[in-house]
């Protein structure tokens, strides 16, 4: 195989996976470690990937917007696992905020089942409906203009209300997470709300199933940093986990 | 029969029938209509009833609270009918606010059937759920603290948001109306929200099923102004309609259309 062919194949692999290891590449292409290292160096120079210890990770690839309906079926088991992991960070009596989205719904359902007394702020209609089933949970809706495509509320009225409040923990689930681009999403209204929720919380938790890693959406919510704890499922590769830890980004990976 | 006994019987009859004619009472109690007229004068001075032409109606009675599921069952047909009447007063392109409660639920359903393009603001989660599936409706919920019991939002957060809005028509569904005590309700949690809905609307519409007439609740929302619109169902006794018309309050029902229905929205 020619060097170019090999490099193209490496790029193609990273389109479907967020990380690859040098050992699997040497195995696959039957070339030396040194050869693979040179390929990866070249590709990193082209901005096609990012080298990490033991291999490489994808560089934020923009993925297309999927509708709320479409996302409801995707990665359900992973979302449930990471919602379970997130529960460990919630205590009775906490005042928390949940944003909208198919991942946060899983967390809302668990909260309804497992907690007796919490105060929950949200801008999601679905979350409100779920939590309204539990008498003892105080629910606050940041209302505003209803956005049917995302089944939540947005706009300046929503922001105004959020900014009047303060929570100890917020749980947001942006569309994409990557080391170089940070947290990103598609709709300006929702991005403003995610930022507002981050601003009013003492501790911020980002819920992102492993498929969201190293991809990006058109608009940035914020950069990653030690103040944001990422919660994800067991599908996140060891490599990526290490890459994040080296960058001092706390990642909580739910056990298999 | 002593006068006192007769007074008690008249009062009990009124409590069941809500309105009764002098002739009926005279027949039932086997006395002259003149005697009945004197009885009615007496009872009116005690505040127990209100004399109308040809008879009497029950005077303001304090109502007690029942929860939403219970209220959904009371006067269903009446509420559905008056909601259809009220929905006809909404035009394509209108910007409106809707109250909460069992009547509001019927009103939302009637509106949905009309398939109009609307902007709707509400504090009721039930109303919002009904309208959220309608593509032609821009929905706005004020948010705030959720009251599970009533499935509404309330509190300062809700009021703050509503204060930032202005609508052409506010549709309110309070619990009681009486000539003497005006429009009243009894949920102190939602009272400030209803007041805010009144404040943010150019035109005010009250949806009141016939069983709410000449009753009063704990909290007075406002006096009866001729400028407001009052909508009820065909079950409302003509006696009441006449009584109210004497005070310049026109009640709109299926059989009594709005005298200024053809006016431009926003002019009244």
């Amino acid at each position: 195989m020619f060097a170019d062919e090999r490099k193209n194949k490496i790029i193609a692999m990273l389109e479907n996976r967020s990380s690859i290891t040098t050992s699997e590449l040497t195995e696959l292409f039957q070339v030396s470690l040194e050869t693979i290292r040179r390929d990866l160096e070249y590709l990193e120079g082209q901005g096609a990937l990012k080298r990490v210890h033991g291999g490489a990770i994808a560089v934020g690839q923009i993925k297309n917007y999927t509708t709320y309906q479409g996302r409801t079926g995707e990665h359900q088991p992973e979302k449930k696992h990471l919602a379970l992991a997130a529960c460990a960070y919630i205590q009775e009596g906490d005042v928390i905020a949940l944003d909208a989205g198919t991942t946060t719904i899983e967390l809302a359902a668990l909260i309804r089942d497992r907690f007796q007394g919490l105060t929950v702020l949200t801008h999601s209609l679905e979350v409100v409906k779920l939590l309204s089933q539990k008498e003892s949970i105080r629910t606050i809706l940041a209302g505003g203009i209803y956005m049917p495509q995302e089944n939540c509320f947005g706009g300046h009225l929503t922001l105004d209300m959020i900014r009047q409040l303060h929570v100890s923990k917020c749980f947001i689930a942006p569309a994409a997470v990557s080391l170089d681009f940070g947290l990103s999403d598609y709709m300006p209204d929702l991005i403003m709300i995610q930022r507002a929720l981050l601003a009013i919380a003492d501790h911020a938790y980002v819920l992102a199933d492993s498929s969201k890693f190293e991809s990006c959406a058109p608009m940035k919510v914020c950069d990653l940093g030690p103040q944001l704890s990422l919660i994800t499922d067991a599908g996140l590769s060891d490599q990526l986990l290490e890459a994040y830890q080296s960058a001092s980004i706390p990642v909580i990976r739910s056990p298999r | 029969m002593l006068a006192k006994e007769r007074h008690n019987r008249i009062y009990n009859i009124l409590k069941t029938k809500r309105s009764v004619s002098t002739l009926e009472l005279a027949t039932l109690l086997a006395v002259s209509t003149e005697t009945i007229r004197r009885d009615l004068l007496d009872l009116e001075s005690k505040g127990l009833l209100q004399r109308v032409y040809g008879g009497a109606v029950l005077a303001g009675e304090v109502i007690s609270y029942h929860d939403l599921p219970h209220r959904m069952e009371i006067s269903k047909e009446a509420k559905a009918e008056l909601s259809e009447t009220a929905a006809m007063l909404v035009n394509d392109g209108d910007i409106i606010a809707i109250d909460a409660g069992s009547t509001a639920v019927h009103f939302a359903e009637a509106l949905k059937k009309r398939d109009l393009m609307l902007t709707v603001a509400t504090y009721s989660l039930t109303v919002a759920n009904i309208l959220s599936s309608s593509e032609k409706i821009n929905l706005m919920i004020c948010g705030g603290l959720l009251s599970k019991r009533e499935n509404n939002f309330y509190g300062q957060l809700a009021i703050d948001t509503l204060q930032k809005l202005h609508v052409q028509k506010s549709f309110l569904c309070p619990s009681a109306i009486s000539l003497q005590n005006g429009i009243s309700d009894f949920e102190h949690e939602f009272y400030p929200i209803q007041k805010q809905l009144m404040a943010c609307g150019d035109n005010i519409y009250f949806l009141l099923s016939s069983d709410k007439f000449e009753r009063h609740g704990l909290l007075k929302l406002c006096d009866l102004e001729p400028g407001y619109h009052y909508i009820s169902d065909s079950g409302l006794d003509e006696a009441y309609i006449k009584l109210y018309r004497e005070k310049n309050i026109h009640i709109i029902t299926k059989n009594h259309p709005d005298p200024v229905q053809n006016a431009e929205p926003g002019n009244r």
Side-chain angles (χ1 to χ4, degrees), chain B residues 1 9 42 45 59 84 131 135 154 163 186 216 222 235 258:
Chain B
M1 196 191 295
R9 283 200 67 187
D42 247 319
S45 67
E84 303 274 340
L131 300 176
E135 274 172 18
Y154 70 102
Q163 279 173 342
F186 41 21
H216 55 259
C222 63
D258 186 0

Side-chain angles (χ1 to χ4, degrees), chain A residues 134 137 139 141 144 146 160, chain B residues 129 139 141 144 146 148 164:
Chain A
K134 191 71 175 275
I137 295 183
T139 313
L141 172 68
Y146 180 60
D160 280 351
Chain B
N129 283 331
L139 182 63
I141 303 187
L146 177 68
K148 310 269 163 71
K164 297 172 191 172

Side-chain angles (χ1 to χ4, degrees), chain A residues 24-234:
Chain A
E24 73 181 289
L25 289 175
T26 52
E27 178 86 36
L28 182 64
F29 298 118
Q30 292 294 303
V31 292
S32 69
L33 200 54
E34 203 41 55
T35 309
I36 292 294
R37 277 213 195 98
R38 274 199 304 262
D39 284 342
L40 293 183
E41 249 184 70
Y42 176 81
L43 287 171
E44 190 180 44
Q46 297 292 304
L49 52 76
K50 190 176 152 115
R51 283 186 307 151
V52 294
H53 176 71
I57 58 177
V59 173
Q61 307 245 23
I62 291 202
K63 46 175 209 185
N64 288 325
Y65 172 67
T66 327
T67 60
Y68 188 89
Q69 245 60 16
R71 279 153 29 218
T72 311
E74 283 180 355
H75 305 291
Q76 273 321 97
E78 285 86 352
K79 289 173 185 172
K80 284 199 160 75
H81 286 142
L82 71 89
L84 260 167
C87 268
Y89 295 88
I90 304 176
Q91 270 102 43
E92 286 291 359
D94 268 354
V95 178
I96 70 174
L98 297 183
D99 81 345
T102 53
T103 312
T104 349
I105 305 276
E106 296 296 336
L107 181 54
L110 280 178
I111 287 174
R112 175 201 56 193
D113 296 336
R114 288 165 177 237
F115 289 90
Q116 295 312 310
L118 287 182
T119 301
V120 181
L121 164 67
T122 184
H123 70 113
S124 156
L125 186 56
E126 198 61 46
V127 169
V128 167
K129 282 197 216 166
L130 271 169
L131 295 179
S132 70
Q133 294 162 11
K134 191 71 175 275
E135 270 294 328
S136 54
I137 295 183
R138 241 158 72 106
T139 313
I140 302 175
L141 172 68
I145 310 294
Y146 180 60
M147 301 168 64
Q149 71 274 42
E150 286 291 324
N151 204 16
C152 68
F153 299 91
H156 73 282
L157 293 171
T158 319
L159 288 171
D160 280 351
M161 196 185 298
I162 293 173
R163 288 171 183 156
Q164 288 183 58
L165 304 169
H166 194 89
V167 298
S168 54
K169 297 160 192 173
C170 75
F171 295 84
I172 65 170
V177 178
S178 76
L179 276 169
D180 55 315
F181 198 57
L183 304 180
S184 52
D185 211 310
Y186 297 91
M187 293 181 194
D189 278 331
L190 297 184
I191 287 168
M192 295 299 290
I193 291 173
Q194 288 175 327
R195 287 190 188 158
L197 290 176
L198 289 171
I200 65 167
D202 292 332
H203 304 281
Y205 297 87
V206 177
L207 305 175
D209 67 74
S210 45
S211 73
K212 291 183 175 177
F213 277 73
E214 301 333 279
S215 67
C216 60
M219 293 177 233
K220 188 189 283 205
V221 175
C222 65
D223 286 316
L224 291 175
Q227 76 287 359
L228 291 175
S229 299
L230 305 179
I231 303 180
T232 189
D233 55 273

